[in-house]
């Protein structure tokens, strides 16, 4: 099918293979020029969208990771309108981890540490109970 | 490619193409598999670490280089940070329970001094 499309639209698959290989190797800056026409333009737009989503996910994880490491307030990821399906699941997982961190540090603050994260969620409340049980269990032992 | 962009990580190109289209198909399929594994791994760690309290669990991808590795490292940094208060608490309480009342600096300068 790709062969047929390529022949009817004069699509050069070389740059696509090059960009895909770069993405495979972890280069989230790889992009295809969108100035082509026909199928080439559609492929370029789709590819660039995929790489941008990977880049956004990496940036979000780096942002919350750096904030957590530097003892700064960690906030949830902003809504990503372009993230659908499994992309949305990935971003939601990041937020779930952020919620857990928030709740953990809230418990830490309650037990004497310095508060730095205040955001909470229903999920985080469950996590807090787990942390508290773990803490009380440690005391009992 | 459009399906992948829409978040459908179950799509694959045929694996019987040859030449450049074959290489494109193989590479794209590999990228999709990596994204699929990453999503599953993020879901797994967010579940086992966040909801089940298994704070020793970490994220991993079979083959991760470049930004793929950075993604996994970032997740694990987050988990490390989340787990640190609990593991430190357990460590200090364990030391006190064993009769060790000596000052302890800990990994981040220790716990704040108790108010008197």
């Amino acid at each position: 099918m790709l062969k047929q499309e390529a022949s009817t639209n004069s699509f050069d698959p070389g740059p696509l293979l090059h960009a895909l290989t770069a993405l495979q190797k972890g280069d989230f800056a790889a992009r295809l020029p969108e100035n082509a026409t026909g199928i080439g333009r559609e492929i370029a737009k789709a590819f660039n969208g995929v790489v941008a989503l990977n880049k956004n996910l990496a940036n979000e994880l780096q942002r919350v990771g750096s904030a957590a490491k530097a003892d700064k307030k960690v906030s949830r990821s902003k809504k990503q309108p372009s993230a659908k399906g499994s992309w949305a699941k990935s971003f939601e997982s990041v937020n779930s981890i952020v919620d857990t961190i928030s709740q953990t540090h809230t418990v830490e603050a309650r037990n004497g540490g310095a508060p730095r994260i205040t955001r909470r969620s229903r999920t985080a409340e469950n996590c807090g109970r787990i942390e508290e049980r773990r803490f009380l269990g440690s005391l009992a032992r | 490619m459009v399906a992948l962009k829409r978040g459908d990580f179950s799509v694959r190109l045929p694996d019987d193409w040859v030449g450049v289209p074959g290489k494109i198909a193989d590479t794209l399929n590999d990228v999709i598999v990596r994204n699929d594994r990453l999503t599953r791994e993020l879901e797994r760690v967010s579940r086992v670490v966040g909801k089940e309290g298994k704070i020793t669990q970490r994220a991993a991808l079979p083959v991760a280089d470049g930004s793929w590795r950075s993604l996994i490292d970032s997740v694990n940094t987050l988990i490390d940070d989340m787990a640190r208060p609990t593991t430190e608490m357990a460590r200090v309480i364990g030391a006190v329970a064993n009769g060790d009342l000596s000052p302890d600096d800990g990994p981040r300068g220790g716990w704040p001094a108790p108010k008197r």
Side-chain angles (χ1 to χ4, degrees), chain B residues 15-93:
Chain B
D15 58 3
D16 56 353
W17 288 356
V18 293
V20 173
K23 284 181 184 172
I24 287 174
D26 289 347
T27 313
L28 180 59
N29 288 345
D30 187 64
V31 167
I32 298 170
V33 167
R34 282 173 190 240
N35 275 305
D36 191 30
R37 282 184 181 151
L38 177 65
T39 300
R40 289 172 195 270
E41 196 60 3
L42 285 174
E43 284 180 311
R44 187 186 68 80
V45 292
S46 101
R47 187 185 70 250
V48 299
V49 176
K51 293 172 187 164
E52 296 172 13
K54 295 174 183 170
I55 56 175
T56 56
Q57 293 277 318
R58 293 294 180 272
L61 280 180
V63 181
D65 35 21
S67 296
W68 299 105
R69 172 161 293 284
S70 302
L71 273 166
I72 291 298
D73 288 346
S74 297
V75 176
N76 289 335
T77 301
L78 272 173
I79 300 170
D80 285 343
D81 184 80
M82 185 195 71
R84 190 175 300 112
T86 307
T87 51
E88 268 302 283
M89 234 180 252
R91 186 181 66 80
V92 172
I93 289 169

